[in-house]
Amino acid sequence: MIDTRFVGKSRTSSWPHAADRASSPSRGAMVPAVARAAQLLNTLAATERPLPLTALVKTLALPKSTVHGLCVTLAHAGLIERLDNGAYQLGTRVMDLANAYMSRTDPAAEFQAIMKAEAPMPEESIVLSVLDGADIVYVGCRNGTRTFGFNFRIGMRLPANCTASGKAMLSSRSAQYVMDLESGRAFYSLTRKSIARAEPLLKQLGKVVLQGYAVDDEETRLGMMCIGAPIFSAASAEAVAAVAISLSKATLDPERKALAIETARRLASEISSRLGGRAGGRL
């Protein structure tokens, strides 16, 4: 990846633990046995190798009989499995549940739900896009009340190398992926400020990984700045979509830009969370 510090690690370490989920009074009374089972599943998910019963007892700080009972119950349900050496690991049923969750979750649906619920930065246009080769395709948009001669529409395509959304998603791809797009003449310019060469683009993408957002400074349209942030699902280390906010440079001030950065990152984080993925472009 562009920056290997944030890829190739287990995403399970960021899963909410049962105790965290139960801490809010609005969630109702906690069932202790279910909370312990969730802790056991989190423990197995966060390790790279199967764990014996003794290790689970030590980690969970529960009586051996309790942990054994949890293991027997979860194994019967297919959520964990016991290996021949007596160690436990996650079971195949976990994948069934994950796939069922993913099949019912869609970035565009989550984007629309958030736009309807809170209408962030109503003056500005906010879009959701996916990566298709060297292009981005808009799959969600909410045009703002502040118009400046550019309206987004679902199905619109733009070059990924020019757009904040495109750079946000490309930052999760390998450097070789970006160089292959350039060598295939897939990149092109929309304005004199567009970056269509791999070397300077890769430098920008490295910054995107570190700061969690990308900037299109008049690369798509003169007089327009866009801030984009990547969206991740549970299924891949690569961004599945990106959200971006478009701003008129004629009315832009530091406070408005800072708000756009904060909003783009927050929206991407919220959608990523709903998709079961990592937030902010980091693990």
Side-chain angles (χ1 to χ4, degrees):
M1 299 303 164
I2 302 304
D3 191 322
T4 57
R5 291 178 296 168
F6 305 123
V7 299
K9 301 177 182 179
S10 171
R11 199 171 294 127
T12 57
S13 60
S14 63
W15 288 11
H17 292 284
D20 299 328
R21 290 183 176 274
S23 61
S24 172
S26 63
R27 295 187 181 275
M30 180 179 68
V31 179
V34 176
R36 292 179 187 131
Q39 283 183 297
L40 193 151
L41 290 171
N42 280 325
T43 299
L44 290 177
T47 60
E48 297 180 355
R49 63 186 187 279
L51 293 177
L53 183 64
T54 53
L56 289 170
V57 170
K58 181 177 179 180
T59 301
L60 298 174
L62 293 171
K64 183 178 180 179
S65 59
T66 300
V67 178
H68 181 262
L70 290 171
C71 289
V72 170
T73 303
L74 291 172
H76 183 73
L79 295 172
I80 68 173
E81 59 184 31
R82 185 178 186 273
L83 304 180
D84 291 339
N85 63 1
Y88 291 91
Q89 65 181 14
L90 291 180
T92 56
R93 180 60 179 158
V94 172
M95 290 302 301
D96 294 336
L97 296 175
N99 289 332
Y101 177 80
M102 292 299 298
S103 69
R104 291 165 175 78
T105 311
D106 178 72
E110 301 301 346
F111 173 82
Q112 295 297 341
I114 293 174
M115 291 299 106
K116 183 177 181 180
E118 59 177 272
M121 298 188 72
E123 302 91 348
E124 317 300 351
S125 295
I126 303 180
V127 295
L128 179 79
S129 61
V130 296
L131 190 64
D132 183 17
D135 292 339
I136 63 166
V137 180
Y138 292 108
V139 295
C141 65
R142 190 220 59 192
N143 286 298
T145 58
R146 191 199 312 272
T147 59
F148 50 96
F150 193 96
N151 285 324
F152 295 94
R153 66 180 185 276
I154 294 176
M156 178 185 290
R157 282 179 174 267
L158 289 174
N161 59 289
C162 299
T163 60
S165 293
K167 287 187 277 190
M169 288 183 280
L170 286 175
S171 71
S172 70
R173 267 60 173 182
S174 68
Q176 188 61 53
Y177 181 93
V178 175
M179 291 187 289
D180 287 346
L181 289 177
E182 182 197 38
S183 63
R185 300 181 182 275
F187 291 151
Y188 59 97
S189 300
L190 294 177
T191 75
R192 64 177 184 272
K193 293 190 175 183
S194 300
I195 297 176
R197 293 191 302 111
E199 184 177 352
L201 180 59
L202 285 170
K203 291 182 179 179
Q204 276 200 5
L205 299 183
K207 294 180 180 178
V208 174
V209 174
L210 293 174
Q211 63 194 16
Y213 66 91
V215 178
D216 157 16
D217 190 358
E218 298 187 295
E219 294 179 59
T220 299
R221 180 182 175 88
L222 294 178
M224 183 174 73
M225 174 180 284
C226 296
I227 308 295
I231 295 169
F232 296 87
S233 74
S236 174
E238 297 179 347
V240 296
V243 63
I245 301 174
S246 298
L247 307 154
S248 171
K249 293 199 70 173
T251 58
L252 187 62
D253 55 39
E255 292 75 17
R256 195 68 178 168
K257 181 180 178 181
L259 177 60
I261 292 172
E262 176 188 352
T263 302
R265 293 188 63 181
R266 179 179 62 80
L267 291 174
S269 178
E270 173 65 18
I271 296 173
S272 295
S273 178
R274 294 185 181 204
L275 297 176
R278 57 191 171 100
R282 301 172 186 239
L283 284 171

